[in-house]
Amino acid sequence: MSCIFCKIANKEIPSSVVYETENVIAILDLSQANQGHTLVMPKSHYANILELPDNIASELALATVKVAKAIDEAFHPDGINILNNCKEAAGQTVMHVHVHIIPRMKDDGIEIELANNEGKYDLSSICNKIKHYL
Ligand code: AMP
Ligand code: ZN
């Protein structure tokens, strides 16, 4: 497997490990969008969040919250974004699922902007469509 995050999880290439459990590892993102920018990922290879079995999803979520709290204590950011890019169209560049924890400071220049389409869609039909698969 040539996946770079598999190699990191297997300690075949170095990284700055901030936390790990049996199935999950958290490392500093090389890009450091802000100081403390961390990636949390399963040690086993899953391409994206849609492939995760429940037990790994739970461990990933727990580790993400735990590390986010530690980053908050360590750097006292003004805010934190927790985000996952799922598939190329959503901005995923490394095809091994990972969650970004990005500490945010007021006016840090990072832009994550969502369109406001309030009133455009029929919310009850959207709601029913999703519920059908749950
Ligand atoms: P994404 O666009 O969500 O797939 O994010 C991939 C992230 O992985 C980027 O923020 C990169 O900076 C980061 N990254 C790529 N290679 C490494 C590496 N070897 N160690 C740490 N972070 C990495
Ligand atoms: Zn992988």
Side-chain angles (χ1 to χ4, degrees):
M1 171 73 72
S2 63
C3 170
I4 189 166
F5 285 176
C6 281
K7 287 181 178 158
I8 284 175
N10 292 330
K11 315 282 167 60
E12 288 166 31
I13 60 174
S15 68
S16 303
V17 178
V18 296
Y19 181 66
E20 62 183 313
T21 62
E22 187 187 349
N23 295 307
V24 163
I25 187 167
I27 63 162
L28 291 185
D29 190 307
L30 278 182
S31 70
Q32 289 299 286
N34 268 331
Q35 228 188 157
H37 179 185
T38 297
L39 302 175
V40 192
M41 65 189 76
K43 289 179 176 174
S44 299
H45 186 86
Y46 300 94
N48 62 53
I49 207 160
L50 303 176
E51 294 190 351
L52 289 179
D54 285 356
N55 64 319
I56 302 295
S58 302
E59 213 168 307
L60 186 64
L62 281 174
T64 300
V65 172
K66 194 176 183 74
V67 174
K69 287 176 176 173
I71 290 170
D72 190 54
E73 294 284 348
F75 296 104
H76 301 288
D78 297 321
I80 298 175
N81 284 120
I82 292 178
L83 67 91
N84 165 254
N85 298 323
C86 177
K87 302 190 181 178
E88 195 178 345
Q92 184 176 4
T93 59
V94 178
M95 300 303 164
H96 176 130
V97 61
H98 53 280
V99 176
H100 292 258
I101 305 175
I102 307 172
R104 297 297 307 276
M105 304 305 286
K106 280 190 193 109
D107 305 318
D108 62 14
I110 296 173
E111 284 178 27
I112 302 171
E113 219 167 300
L114 303 180
N116 182 352
N117 289 318
E118 187 176 344
K120 189 170 172 186
Y121 299 112
D122 174 1
L123 297 191
S124 74
S125 126
I126 292 173
C127 200
N128 287 334
K129 239 178 189 165
I130 297 170
K131 279 162 124 176
H132 178 75
Y133 294 98
L134 289 170

